[in-house]
Amino acid sequence: MFIVKSIILWIIISTIINAYLMTLPMPVLRKRDYPANYLIQQNNRIDFQKNTECAAFSTAYLLRYFGMEASGEALYTYFPSKTRAGTVYPKGIRTVLRKKGFKTNYYKGNINTLKYEVSKGVPVIVFIKVQKDRNSLHFVPVVGYDKEYFYLSESLSNLVNCDDEHKNYNRKVPINEFKKLWNVKRFHMLLYSNSYIAVDITQSKY
């Protein structure tokens, strides 16, 4: 009984700490209608990170989408909510975008809710694993989907796997594989699988 209580207490404490450091994703499960295929048509520059700057590079990509010139490398220098290892909590992305005049939502959903969000026409930043069998985590913008794939604007050059005529994505991931990458659940962060950051263009000042 003592062990069970200790585990429950640890989960509660971890959740409170994560809520402060990362903010908690808001559950969204209701399925809405969306097109079977969708790709954001606006071309955008895709820069490549050298270390652990994926949060800054994803944020810079989103800012460029809205016509604001931004460099991931420059943003990362003063990026908030960094860990000692140099990675960034989701809260950091939201903080930077808020200071730029954008209202964001941090959601926990599923494949359907993610497709619906992308179909609004604005890149969505997802929180995934770098590789399905490893614990390293990664932020990357999703810019499209169809029945088989999600299309990403990837800042890790070793993960680039396509060079199609479209210039706003460079990686496509089979949806079944994406589900595995999207499952970032760990004992100390149980609530962050299937999470993503979306800009609310109806309330943003840009």
Side-chain angles (χ1 to χ4, degrees):
M1 181 63 71
F2 175 76
I3 294 176
V4 173
K5 287 184 178 179
S6 297
I7 291 173
I8 293 173
L9 180 60
W10 170 247
I11 291 173
I12 292 172
I13 292 172
S14 297
T15 301
I16 292 172
I17 293 172
N18 285 334
Y20 172 74
L21 293 175
M22 302 172 69
T23 71
L24 290 175
M26 181 170 56
V28 285
L29 298 173
R30 188 170 57 151
K31 183 176 180 180
R32 297 174 181 266
D33 291 333
Y34 55 81
N37 308 299
Y38 189 86
L39 182 66
I40 295 171
Q41 297 295 332
Q42 181 175 318
N43 290 338
N44 196 337
R45 186 178 82 246
I46 302 176
D47 295 334
F48 295 115
Q49 66 189 82
K50 296 177 181 177
N51 296 298
T52 57
E53 311 101 333
C54 60
F57 275 66
S58 296
T59 304
Y61 182 90
L62 199 54
L63 291 174
R64 291 196 298 272
Y65 169 84
F66 287 106
M68 301 179 182
E69 176 52 35
S71 158
E73 190 172 355
L75 275 184
Y76 181 76
T77 303
Y78 302 103
F79 217 83
S81 300
K82 282 184 193 172
T83 69
R84 290 183 179 180
T87 57
V88 175
Y89 295 116
K91 184 178 181 179
I93 294 175
R94 301 189 69 193
T95 299
V96 171
L97 290 173
R98 185 181 70 248
K99 289 180 178 179
K100 296 290 186 179
F102 296 94
K103 168 75 167 58
T104 63
N105 293 305
Y106 188 27
Y107 290 128
K108 177 181 175 65
N110 53 41
I111 295 297
N112 291 323
T113 64
L114 177 56
K115 285 185 173 182
Y116 169 73
E117 199 65 47
V118 173
S119 75
K120 293 180 180 179
V122 178
V124 176
I125 298 175
V126 292
F127 192 28
I128 61 175
K129 296 178 182 177
V130 176
Q131 296 178 326
K132 60 185 178 183
D133 56 348
R134 297 189 180 181
N135 288 328
S136 299
L137 301 179
H138 185 44
F139 294 106
V140 63
V142 179
V143 297
Y145 64 83
D146 54 30
K147 293 180 180 179
E148 297 181 70
Y149 296 98
F150 276 112
Y151 296 88
L152 314 180
S153 298
E154 181 57 67
S155 59
L156 286 172
S157 58
N158 61 303
L159 296 179
V160 171
N161 62 9
C162 58
D163 185 19
D164 294 345
E165 61 200 44
H166 299 283
K167 300 301 182 184
N168 57 341
Y169 73 86
N170 57 4
R171 181 185 178 193
K172 55 184 182 181
V173 182
I175 289 176
N176 285 336
E177 180 181 336
F178 182 86
K179 289 178 181 178
K180 297 174 184 176
L181 295 173
W182 210 16
N183 180 16
V184 302
K185 187 186 299 179
R186 300 182 196 169
F187 180 70
H188 65 286
M189 44 181 286
L190 298 175
L191 302 177
Y192 295 89
S193 289
N194 298 11
S195 64
Y196 52 96
I197 296 170
V199 170
D200 184 348
I201 57 175
T202 63
Q203 297 187 41
S204 297
K205 301 174 183 178
Y206 66 90

